[in-house]
Amino acid sequence: MATRAVLQTFEKYQKERVAFVTTVAEMAKNPQNIEALQQAGAMALLRPLLLDNVPSIQQSAALALGRLANYSDDLAEAVVQNEILPQLVYSLSEQNRFYKQAAAFCLRAVAKHSPELAQAVIDSGSLDALVTCLEEFDPGVKEASAWTLGYIAGHNAELAQQVVDAGAVPLLVLCVQEPELSLKRIAASALSDIAKHTPELAQAVVDAGAVAYLAPMVINQDAKLKRQVCCALSQIAKHSVDLAEVVVGAEIFPKILTCLKFPDEFVKKHAATVIREIVKHTPELAQLVVGNGGVGSLVDYVSESSGNNRLPGIMALGYIAAFSETLALSVIAEKALPPLVQALNEETEDHLKSATAWTLGQIGRHTPDHAKAVSDTGVLMTLVTLEGESGSSEDLKTKCRRALKSVIGKLTHLAALDALVHRSLPEGVMKMVLEQVGKVLANDPPGRAQFVHSGGLAAVQQMAEAPGSKLKEAVEIINSCYPEEIVKYYSPSYSAQLLEKLETMTASQAAY
């Protein structure tokens, strides 16, 4: 009888513990309850339950602590201060799979907030335990562990190096090959977080054979997996020519171009980023993308997207066009200019306009034909306006100025230059235009008459005579292409001089 009473007491105590920890874990789901739970001392009460002799209580306690830590860096710091991490790490190697998932979640919730907290997770001895979990049979445990390692590595190169040194990369590559989609996604994401920091870390991912398994998955129909795979490939390719060539060598072209038409916006953006990170390195890599029909796909992507999603496509076109006049011509031939002009007019954020102005400059800077193609879109006045606006960022003003200089410096089509002469331009831009007009007229005798008939010569004379004008030198070069009588005839003071002569002559006749 006494034994039964004792057992009932213990059973009741166990039920109360289960009810308490389950309720707290459920309450911790709601952000509104977090502060009240913290003030009530939930963390101190949950800590001993991590060592409870009932596995379900341990698991719920770890889950509740993870949800608390996930809420803010202050609560994550409190988990560290309460010395909870060593208990979680110990349990990772000892307990059942459900508890391992909950413990890994709690470590992830702490590590995600800052490099300092991620280092605290490492200092608790978690790396070896997490890497061991990657070898578990249960995919849920592998997933939870890979996710935590990705969060740790994502902060900075030093933390990522510690993850690599713990031997995580080959096991993450094995996880990518597992049949479970969610495990593939998280493993690809973790590899991306490692590779993004330095060429050495990206090389460690490549050396583990990751690219050979990631590349074929660009055609997988799962949107979330495609996102992570494209992101990982771009983080590898961005560092150097050699790494970009490894990615290209895995035969991602032309398959990756189909991702630019995929319904998911993030897939399209990450695919465009992969292309950008490849083409920026060498003319040969840019030519490979052009040869696979990449320019047409990028142009369609820039036309159909908006906002930050447009950015990698715009920059990829700029990188391709920058290398040579042939590559720039292929960009023009694929009708890239209209969507770029549209982006410059439509986008509201300065960094997008800056990238577009830069790309237009790269396209137009090669030859007079390239410059005329850019000028014919009417975009030069937009660049002038953006450069002059007080609300434009310094970077945008600089990019617009450089683009104008690049295009106008190659523009030899007199009609296009003449149209600019008749516009109200800032003095610095007008000086560039007049200098270019002077060069063109010096080598284009038929064009001189055209410039006179259009009113260009008369407009130029007025600029030279404006008070404080800095355009006199440029105007003099233009005037040197014409007989002195014509220059005089079109100068604003010429009519005054004629009237003066007439008055003098009238006065002389009256004196007689």
Side-chain angles (χ1 to χ4, degrees), residues 89 92-93 122 125-135 145 149 162 165-167 171:
V89 172
L92 270 177
S93 53
I122 291 175
S126 64
L127 281 184
D128 289 339
L130 288 166
V131 170
T132 304
C133 285
L134 289 176
E135 298 181 271
S145 174
L149 290 166
Q162 292 181 68
D165 293 342
L171 294 169

Side-chain angles (χ1 to χ4, degrees), residues 19-235:
F20 169 75
V21 78
T22 308
T23 306
V24 170
E26 197 61 33
M27 283 179 172
K29 278 184 179 177
N30 191 340
Q32 293 172 327
N33 296 330
I34 299 291
E35 201 172 325
L37 287 169
Q38 176 64 355
Q39 287 172 354
M43 208 166 282
L45 293 169
L46 289 168
R47 185 185 171 218
L49 296 177
L50 289 170
L51 299 173
D52 200 279
N53 60 352
V54 180
S56 65
I57 293 174
Q58 293 179 340
Q59 183 189 333
S60 295
L63 196 60
L65 285 165
R67 285 173 181 165
L68 289 169
N70 198 43
Y71 180 71
S72 74
D73 50 359
D74 289 338
L75 289 169
E77 186 67 48
V79 169
V80 175
Q81 297 298 334
N82 280 294
E83 297 183 355
I84 290 167
L85 296 181
Q87 291 180 14
L88 291 167
V89 172
Y90 170 76
S91 304
L92 270 177
S93 53
E94 296 292 323
Q95 298 297 332
N96 66 48
R97 61 196 173 101
F98 300 109
Y99 183 80
K100 285 178 179 178
Q101 287 180 49
F105 164 66
C106 191
L107 291 170
R108 178 171 86 246
V110 174
K112 79 170 196 176
H113 291 289
S114 70
E116 293 74 25
L117 286 166
Q119 187 61 56
V121 170
I122 291 175
D123 293 341
S124 67
S126 64
L127 281 184
D128 289 339
L130 288 166
V131 170
T132 304
C133 285
L134 289 176
E135 298 181 271
E136 285 275 333
F137 177 75
D138 183 70
V141 175
K142 290 181 187 174
E143 195 178 302
S145 174
W147 209 345
T148 307
L149 290 166
Y151 267 115
I152 293 169
H155 286 295
N156 59 42
E158 187 185 339
L159 292 168
Q161 188 62 57
Q162 292 181 68
V163 171
V164 171
D165 293 342
V169 175
L171 294 169
L172 287 169
V173 173
L174 286 173
C175 289
V176 167
Q177 300 167 60
E178 294 285 346
E180 292 81 13
L181 271 177
S182 58
L183 180 55
K184 284 177 185 284
R185 291 176 198 146
I186 290 164
S189 174
L191 290 168
S192 176
D193 285 328
I194 292 167
K196 71 182 181 183
H197 298 291
T198 65
E200 292 73 24
L201 287 164
Q203 190 63 54
V205 171
V206 168
D207 290 344
V211 175
Y213 296 105
L214 289 169
M217 288 193 284
V218 297
I219 57 170
N220 191 292
Q221 289 308 296
D222 180 72
K224 290 179 181 175
L225 179 59
K226 282 170 96 82
R227 285 182 206 171
Q228 300 302 343
V229 167
C230 289
C231 190
L233 292 172
S234 68
Q235 298 291 11

